[in-house]
Amino acid sequence: MARHGWAPGVRRWRLAALLGVPAAVVALLVTLAGTPSGGGANTEGTSPGGAGAHGTPVTPPQRLRPDVGWGFTHTQFSAGEGSPRAVARVENRLKGARLPQNQHIMGWGADNPEPVRGRYDFAALDRRVDFMRASGATPVITLCCAPDWMKGGEAGAGRTDWSQAALETAPEPEHYDDFAALAATVAKRYPDVRHFIVWNEFKGFWDDAGHRWDHEGYTRMYNRVYRALKEVDEDLMVGGPYLVMDSLDPRQEYASAAPKGPWGALDQRVLDAFAYWNRHKAGADFVVVDGSSYTRDDELLPDEFAATAKFTAVGEWVRRQTGGELPLWWAEYYVEPADGDDQRHGWSEARRTAVQAAGMIAMVEGGASSGFYWNPEAERGPECPGCLWTPTDTAAGGGKLPMYDLLSRFAAAFPPGTAYAAITADPEVRALATDRTVLVVNTRDRALSATVDGRTVDLQAYEVKWLTR
């Protein structure tokens, strides 16, 4: 996803990133979606039986944890579609890693789940859940976004407006109960999905007139969704608020007095929104945030590695607010600023992977136990900066990339409940350790020899190295 655009917390999304269809047919689909056949509601492909269990649910573990570990979020193009050989290649690799996987209910590869009130179209979401099941994932569903008729569209028309503005619109207050009912339907359809995130980045909850977040509105919606899910099964794990923890130059308006550091300061309006949700929530099994190491103006302060200290500061602040009682998830995290087209091509893959590793270390040091890498899989072609695997459009696709090696190894070495150990290291490197494993990251663009844990370690430029103790 891109970074922030016209208002705090609202991102410059490309339309293709939201849709469950290729960008080449966007204009045609928008037109067709607004033209139901026969002049009535367009119910083609829908069914009233959305709450029936889909497929063969996988039996979840008897002892569920509120944290799930380190995994990734599916975006528009993902490994569940493409050449069968390439899909199988990724699926088999994931079976061994068992990374948790997250999917939204509308957008990012999923169609409108309820285009007409009471009539459902879960075909695309079914395919994503099927892939998560087949690849051995702990599945997570993000309950965003909302059908048009819940946010001002014509009731019963069956239309879907896939424009950026429409996707960024929250349900109207009179439809909070309808969105909660949709969430309950999703939970019933996929009984093996036990973890749910409520909404995404406060989309549609920005108050233009007040220049602040409508945290009251989000919290009302969250509470209704939370209660609806708990009525389906009180053991379901539910969390929020999935706020973007924006940072600013400390001299800017709305910069917080604390947390603050060389990386900048947080936006006080975000902290106010979090505090309100935390005080007034009906309950939560985990807490979710999102953010980048760079500021809203795309500044890496004082540099790309030192800027990751923001993740630690945010985590420590959030944990203080919740009394340390709720596991901390990062739903998204970014360390490399994007250009105006939401592209990240400026860094080498070695540099990108090293800064990501430093960022993940910083999140752990802030108390996080779960996080989801926003996987930017390309539709086709050889170039895919930061992707976990090569595009699956051909039989040769689905090959693992450096970011996959980092993510899978990190998830295996540092699962929820890990007991971390103290470690000493030279200032040129970052390190994270247990009593058995050490992750070492060279923050320099040159080879060096560093003292880590009392021994000399030779590292290539931006090398990420794993050691045993």
Side-chain angles (χ1 to χ4, degrees), residues 305 354 428-429 441-444 446 448 459-463:
F305 285 98
E428 293 87 358
V429 302
V441 182
N442 182 3
T443 66
R444 299 291 187 260
R446 57 178 173 81
L448 56 80
L459 297 163
Q460 297 301 311
Y462 295 133
E463 184 176 2

Side-chain angles (χ1 to χ4, degrees), residues 122-293:
F122 284 120
L125 187 56
D126 287 347
R127 287 192 293 271
R128 289 290 171 92
V129 171
D130 287 343
F131 180 82
M132 291 193 284
R133 289 171 175 170
S135 55
T138 296
V140 177
I141 284 182
T142 294
L143 297 164
C144 182
C145 294
D148 293 48
W149 59 271
M150 295 186 190
K151 52 196 183 186
E154 184 179 348
R159 296 184 175 92
T160 299
D161 180 354
W162 289 104
S163 67
Q164 175 183 332
L167 264 294
E168 290 177 349
T169 300
E172 295 179 340
E174 57 266 33
H175 289 295
Y176 289 168
D177 285 335
D178 292 317
F179 187 74
L182 174 59
T185 299
V186 170
K188 293 173 184 176
R189 186 170 186 83
Y190 310 113
D192 46 342
V193 178
R194 313 298 291 171
H195 298 82
F196 293 87
I197 301 173
V198 181
W199 208 241
N200 173 305
E201 298 185 331
F202 267 45
K203 287 176 172 55
F205 286 99
W206 178 251
D207 179 358
D208 281 314
H211 300 289
R212 72 172 184 94
W213 291 106
D214 177 15
H215 38 258
E216 299 91 346
Y218 169 81
T219 303
R220 285 194 296 272
M221 187 184 78
Y222 172 91
N223 286 343
R224 296 187 193 189
V225 172
Y226 177 88
R227 294 186 179 105
L229 291 172
K230 292 294 185 176
E231 287 179 7
V232 172
D233 186 339
E234 63 180 9
D235 292 329
L236 292 179
M237 302 287 179
V238 186
Y242 201 154
L243 271 163
V244 183
M245 306 303 285
D246 274 329
S247 54
L248 315 167
D249 184 298
R251 297 166 295 182
Q252 288 184 301
E253 186 181 13
Y254 303 118
S256 63
K260 182 168 65 174
W263 46 267
L266 295 184
D267 188 321
Q268 185 60 48
R269 296 167 297 182
V270 175
L271 302 184
D272 293 343
F274 185 95
Y276 182 91
W277 170 83
N278 190 45
R279 290 194 305 270
H280 296 91
K281 65 184 183 299
D285 299 290
F286 54 90
V287 62
V288 187
V289 295
D290 158 337
S292 63
S293 57

Side-chain angles (χ1 to χ4, degrees), residues 44-86:
E44 182 179 358
T46 66
S47 167
H54 164 70
T56 305
V58 176
T59 302
Q62 289 186 341
R63 183 176 177 273
L64 284 171
R65 295 184 60 103
D67 40 14
V68 295
W70 303 88
F72 65 92
T73 292
H74 290 276
T75 51
Q76 181 194 356
F77 306 113
S78 199
E81 297 85 30
S83 162
R85 288 180 62 184

